[in-house]
Each structure stands twice: as C-alpha cells, then as structure tokens.
Amino acid sequence: TSVEAIDACEDRNKFSQLCDRLRVDQPEWSEFATLEEARRFCTVAGYPVLVRPSYVLSGAAMRVVTNDDELDIFLKTAAVVSRDHPVVISKYITGAKEVEMDAIGNEGELVNYAIAEHIENAGVHSGDATLLLPAQRLFVETHRRVKSISQKLCKALKISGPFNIQFICKDNEVKVIECNLRASRSMPFISKTYNVNFIELATRIMTGFPVH
C-alpha cells in the first residue's frame, strides 16, 4: 500500500473527496478553526453532532453535543480551537449501529475479510468497543453494501495489506466513518475466531509471496 493511499485516508478532506468520487455515502461533516464556523455548521446540519478535537488518541476527548450551549462549553473548556488545531464536527445519527470491516487486499483486490458488529450503538464508546463476530443482527442488504463499499475503496486505494473500515448503519443506510490502512486491534481475534491467520496473509502479500 502506497504512502499516497495512506495520506488519502488520514487526511479527512482527501478521504471525503475520494468517497464523493466513488459515490460512497458518509455522514455530513466539516472542519473548523473558529467557534462561529462551528456554530454555523451545526445550525445547518442540525443537532446532535459529534465533536472531535485534533490530536487525540483513539476517540479520546470526543463528545456528542445536542445544543449551542453544550457546543460552546465543550469547545471553550475541552478543546483548542485554532487554525493550527481545527476541530472536526460530524452529523451524529442517533440509534445507528456501528459495523467494522477488517480485510486484506492484494493490489486492490479483496482477498479475505470479516464483518463485525458493535454491541454499543455508534458514538457510545470512545475507542474500546465490544464486538460480535460474525455479525448477528445485520440486514442482508447492509452486509452486502458494507462489502461492496469495502471493495470500492480497496480498489481505488490499490491496497496491498491489512485495512479496517468503520461504518455507521441504520435502516439499510450505510455510511463510511473512516478507513485505516493498517491492521486493527481486532484482527488477532478475527484470526482466532475464523482459524485464518490474517496477519500472515497480509505479510505474504506485502513481501511479494504468492497467496491462495
């Protein structure tokens, strides 16, 4: 997997543009450097929203806010809002399920994958989720769309190695939250559950050995 592909996923503007080109749905979001800009977005998108300050680890300091007062308090007390430290605000979908795709790609082709379902609804946890594997309560159409979107992103990014995509799903509407071009913390558990060594498979691909 190329450095350019990794950058395309880590940079939210680039990733959003990629999803738009691929016609992959995502929650409405934007990046802000002033409180006034943040307020304007929330007025248009509508509350509740998910606020994520820059330079935080694994969901730390994220907050779901439901009105202007909560937004003001959070941004003034818990986050640094400036041109150097922009804040990302996304439309928060209540009662939605979070779903994860852990997969291995080979030159843009999906080689193997596992779809896991979060027990907590999207936005409840901050980095430490409880998963069901394999997913137990997903619509067949939701499962199909998660796989289809993953194949599109894998091909567009020419992924060779492990990757993880997080989705927010409600009533068969599937939206991408983010894509990480690395092995996730859940991959060892997936390997044990399915008795398939995903890490070995990814390593063989990245080092140029044939896979079956």
Side-chain angles (χ1 to χ4, degrees):
T1 303
S2 68
V3 173
E4 291 78 14
I6 295 171
D7 182 59
C9 287
E10 294 295 330
D11 186 306
R12 287 202 157 266
N13 282 301
K14 291 180 181 178
F15 186 67
S16 180
Q17 290 168 8
L18 173 64
C19 288
D20 286 345
R21 287 200 304 272
L22 298 175
R23 299 195 176 187
V24 169
D25 204 6
Q26 56 191 321
E28 187 178 359
W29 72 276
S30 196
E31 192 175 67
F32 305 97
T34 69
L35 184 57
E36 290 71 25
E37 291 172 345
R39 280 202 202 101
R40 280 197 294 271
F41 172 82
C42 293
T43 299
V44 174
Y47 288 102
V49 296
L50 182 67
V51 184
R52 288 179 287 177
S54 300
Y55 307 109
V56 296
L57 181 63
S58 191
M62 289 199 312
R63 182 73 56 83
V64 176
V65 299
T66 59
N67 56 55
D68 284 342
D69 291 339
E70 288 183 9
L71 181 69
D72 289 359
I73 292 169
F74 179 65
L75 292 183
K76 288 176 180 176
T77 60
V80 177
V81 186
S82 68
R83 294 293 169 191
D84 294 328
H85 301 90
V87 169
V88 171
I89 301 182
S90 307
K91 174 62 180 173
Y92 178 66
I93 302 171
T94 55
K97 189 179 293 294
E98 188 165 340
V99 175
E100 287 197 39
M101 163 73 86
D102 282 293
I104 307 296
N106 187 7
E107 296 183 355
E109 295 297 322
L110 199 62
V111 175
N112 208 341
Y113 71 95
I115 296 175
E117 169 192 358
H118 288 217
I119 291 177
E120 303 95 344
N121 281 346
V124 172
H125 70 88
S126 290
D128 293 307
T130 308
L131 305 178
L132 283 173
L133 186 73
Q136 300 293 306
R137 298 173 297 173
L138 294 186
F139 295 123
V140 173
E141 180 62 16
T142 296
H143 193 286
R144 188 193 68 78
R145 290 183 184 182
V146 165
K147 183 180 178 183
S148 175
I149 291 169
S150 301
Q151 287 173 319
K152 281 184 179 180
L153 287 169
C154 183
K155 185 175 182 179
L157 294 163
K158 298 183 174 63
I159 298 174
S160 288
F163 66 100
N164 166 271
I165 306 176
Q166 296 170 27
F167 299 87
I168 187 166
C169 306
K170 186 176 182 180
D171 300 330
N172 271 334
E173 286 191 19
V174 178
K175 300 176 187 288
V176 172
I177 301 173
E178 64 181 4
C179 176
N180 300 298
L181 298 192
R182 55 169 172 75
S184 70
R185 289 171 293 181
S186 50
M187 196 161 278
F189 300 103
I190 290 167
S191 296
K192 287 180 71 69
T193 301
Y194 288 125
N195 197 28
V196 175
N197 194 329
F198 275 62
I199 297 301
E200 180 184 3
L201 181 61
T203 303
R204 290 184 67 87
I205 289 170
M206 290 188 291
T207 52
F209 282 86
V211 295
H212 303 287

